[in-house]
Amino acid sequence: IKKNFFCKSLIQEPFNAEPSRSPLISSSYVTPVDLFYKRNHGPVPIVDDIERYQVSICGLVEKSMELSIADMKKLPKHIVTATLQCAGNRRTAMSKVKTVKGVGWDVCAIGNAIWGGAKLADVLELVGIPNLASITPLGGKHVEFISVDRCKEENGGPYKASIPLIQATTSDSEVILAYEMNGEPLNRDHGYPLCVIVPGVIGARSVKWLDSINIIAEECQGFFMQKDYKMFPPKINWENIDWSTRRPQMDFPVQSVICSLEDVTKVKPGKVCDLLHVSGGGRGIERVDVSFDSGKTWVEASRYQKTGIPYVADDKSSDKWAWVLFKAEVEISENTEIVAKAVDIAANVQPENVEFIWNLRGILNTSWHRIHIHTELPDN
């Protein structure tokens, strides 16, 4: 493991790891591949015979077909800058309220990359499904992605997930079958040779190592759609849970995290600069508020991710699926708590306390992010 990564796996498989906070945002607006978090549910598969590799498109369609990577590259190449984030990001903080089940992520199970590939809408047109279709003539309403990956939760079967057909066939959703990441071919950790990228949605729906695309009438019945990654209220526990009462989680709520400091940081009195990353389900970020006195007073952080180019959340040319970087500075003279919260263009704001959104799987911890500062007396 590189020194900038924390490995979350106590056993070799599945391998899960996230970078340290500061390196995640210090290198660039786009996350380098080697700093992009790794999330796996089973052993990383090896797909080494690229000449024979094909993705089948089948199910409730009038004509099935198989496509190779070469076939994918004949379609118009689409580039989208999109942030992927694990639904369990910041789970460790939630587990401090009450124990939860899942990988113990800190705040960096998130990354922002430039993805290149074929639009899913263009691929589906090849099997007779037009743009903006919500149902096929044979009754298909959902698009299921099935992986080469095998996992114990599926009793050794493939990892799979689905999205509604209308999302798949809407070009503005920018769902792509990616064969490139940051201008280079995907590597094994990130889904080589083909990965589904569903912008604005929890990372669990962006299926890696794609094997087949199945058009189905109902949403995917796989484990990770039906018995995981669902949001339950705090009163639900493992004794009274009924998975069928909740829908699979899709969109990621607005989120912000302070990356320049650890949860408890010692500093000398003077100026402190906070660097933050923010993301939120395709709804642009309106502002980020930062408090340097535990929420008594607030200042508005400033965007800085694109020098000289303002981030316009509702402009079609903006990176609406990508994170936004902010900074805020203040003079610190005593111990304090720094707090950050973001607001999106729909006026959705992060909840103040993690206790109110606690859930047994520890997903979607989007509560205000808090950092404690301990000042040290200067040397005489």
Side-chain angles (χ1 to χ4, degrees), residues 58 120 128 130 170 227 258 274 315 349:
C58 53
L120 179 57
T170 301
K227 293 188 177 182
I258 300 169
D274 290 328
D315 187 281
V349 63

PDB file of all heavy atoms in Angstrom, residues 58 120 128 130 170 227 258 274 315 349:
ATOM      1  N   CYS A  58     -29.028  -7.765 -23.637  1.00  0.00           N
ATOM      2  CA  CYS A  58     -30.092  -8.742 -23.818  1.00  0.00           C
ATOM      3  C   CYS A  58     -31.283  -8.397 -22.929  1.00  0.00           C
ATOM      4  O   CYS A  58     -31.350  -7.322 -22.342  1.00  0.00           O
ATOM      5  CB  CYS A  58     -29.578 -10.146 -23.517  1.00  0.00           C
ATOM      6  SG  CYS A  58     -28.780 -10.278 -21.885  1.00  0.00           S
ATOM      7  N   LEU A 120     -24.313   5.401 -22.697  1.00  0.00           N
ATOM      8  CA  LEU A 120     -25.204   4.251 -22.615  1.00  0.00           C
ATOM      9  C   LEU A 120     -26.409   4.442 -23.535  1.00  0.00           C
ATOM     10  O   LEU A 120     -26.884   3.481 -24.148  1.00  0.00           O
ATOM     11  CB  LEU A 120     -25.661   4.039 -21.170  1.00  0.00           C
ATOM     12  CG  LEU A 120     -26.621   2.884 -20.924  1.00  0.00           C
ATOM     13  CD1 LEU A 120     -26.036   1.559 -21.394  1.00  0.00           C
ATOM     14  CD2 LEU A 120     -27.000   2.806 -19.445  1.00  0.00           C
ATOM     15  N   GLY A 128     -32.322  -0.988 -30.509  1.00  0.00           N
ATOM     16  CA  GLY A 128     -33.670  -0.513 -30.808  1.00  0.00           C
ATOM     17  C   GLY A 128     -34.357   0.277 -29.719  1.00  0.00           C
ATOM     18  O   GLY A 128     -35.578   0.493 -29.789  1.00  0.00           O
ATOM     19  N   PRO A 130     -34.883   3.816 -28.221  1.00  0.00           N
ATOM     20  CA  PRO A 130     -34.606   5.214 -28.566  1.00  0.00           C
ATOM     21  C   PRO A 130     -34.299   6.068 -27.347  1.00  0.00           C
ATOM     22  O   PRO A 130     -34.553   5.680 -26.199  1.00  0.00           O
ATOM     23  CB  PRO A 130     -35.908   5.660 -29.235  1.00  0.00           C
ATOM     24  CG  PRO A 130     -36.959   4.816 -28.584  1.00  0.00           C
ATOM     25  CD  PRO A 130     -36.306   3.482 -28.326  1.00  0.00           C
ATOM     26  N   THR A 170     -31.585   9.003 -21.240  1.00  0.00           N
ATOM     27  CA  THR A 170     -31.572  10.462 -21.234  1.00  0.00           C
ATOM     28  C   THR A 170     -30.135  10.939 -21.353  1.00  0.00           C
ATOM     29  O   THR A 170     -29.329  10.727 -20.434  1.00  0.00           O
ATOM     30  CB  THR A 170     -32.218  11.017 -19.950  1.00  0.00           C
ATOM     31  OG1 THR A 170     -33.563  10.549 -19.861  1.00  0.00           O
ATOM     32  CG2 THR A 170     -32.204  12.534 -19.945  1.00  0.00           C
ATOM     33  N   LYS A 227     -30.897  -5.752  -0.410  1.00  0.00           N
ATOM     34  CA  LYS A 227     -30.594  -6.005   0.989  1.00  0.00           C
ATOM     35  C   LYS A 227     -29.354  -5.259   1.462  1.00  0.00           C
ATOM     36  O   LYS A 227     -28.662  -5.689   2.399  1.00  0.00           O
ATOM     37  CB  LYS A 227     -30.440  -7.513   1.230  1.00  0.00           C
ATOM     38  CG  LYS A 227     -31.742  -8.275   1.042  1.00  0.00           C
ATOM     39  CD  LYS A 227     -31.614  -9.723   1.461  1.00  0.00           C
ATOM     40  CE  LYS A 227     -32.961 -10.435   1.337  1.00  0.00           C
ATOM     41  NZ  LYS A 227     -32.885 -11.852   1.775  1.00  0.00           N
ATOM     42  N   ILE A 258     -13.844  18.754   5.201  1.00  0.00           N
ATOM     43  CA  ILE A 258     -12.589  19.494   5.359  1.00  0.00           C
ATOM     44  C   ILE A 258     -11.441  18.515   5.164  1.00  0.00           C
ATOM     45  O   ILE A 258     -11.348  17.508   5.868  1.00  0.00           O
ATOM     46  CB  ILE A 258     -12.502  20.128   6.757  1.00  0.00           C
ATOM     47  CG1 ILE A 258     -13.668  21.092   6.972  1.00  0.00           C
ATOM     48  CG2 ILE A 258     -11.162  20.837   6.957  1.00  0.00           C
ATOM     49  CD1 ILE A 258     -13.824  21.555   8.410  1.00  0.00           C
ATOM     50  N   ASP A 274      -8.591  26.374   5.528  1.00  0.00           N
ATOM     51  CA  ASP A 274      -9.312  25.116   5.336  1.00  0.00           C
ATOM     52  C   ASP A 274      -9.547  24.881   3.857  1.00  0.00           C
ATOM     53  O   ASP A 274     -10.013  25.770   3.140  1.00  0.00           O
ATOM     54  CB  ASP A 274     -10.685  25.159   6.027  1.00  0.00           C
ATOM     55  CG  ASP A 274     -10.557  25.149   7.529  1.00  0.00           C
ATOM     56  OD1 ASP A 274      -9.605  24.535   8.013  1.00  0.00           O
ATOM     57  OD2 ASP A 274     -11.401  25.763   8.195  1.00  0.00           O
ATOM     58  N   ASP A 315     -25.089  25.981 -15.312  1.00  0.00           N
ATOM     59  CA  ASP A 315     -24.690  26.169 -16.703  1.00  0.00           C
ATOM     60  C   ASP A 315     -24.386  24.812 -17.317  1.00  0.00           C
ATOM     61  O   ASP A 315     -23.730  23.966 -16.710  1.00  0.00           O
ATOM     62  CB  ASP A 315     -23.442  27.067 -16.771  1.00  0.00           C
ATOM     63  CG  ASP A 315     -23.084  27.425 -18.202  1.00  0.00           C
ATOM     64  OD1 ASP A 315     -22.476  26.574 -18.882  1.00  0.00           O
ATOM     65  OD2 ASP A 315     -23.416  28.544 -18.630  1.00  0.00           O
ATOM     66  N   VAL A 349     -29.456  21.337   2.379  1.00  0.00           N
ATOM     67  CA  VAL A 349     -28.308  21.619   3.232  1.00  0.00           C
ATOM     68  C   VAL A 349     -27.985  20.382   4.062  1.00  0.00           C
ATOM     69  O   VAL A 349     -28.868  19.573   4.361  1.00  0.00           O
ATOM     70  CB  VAL A 349     -28.589  22.834   4.153  1.00  0.00           C
ATOM     71  CG1 VAL A 349     -29.732  22.547   5.101  1.00  0.00           C
ATOM     72  CG2 VAL A 349     -27.333  23.261   4.905  1.00  0.00           C
TER      73      VAL A 349
END
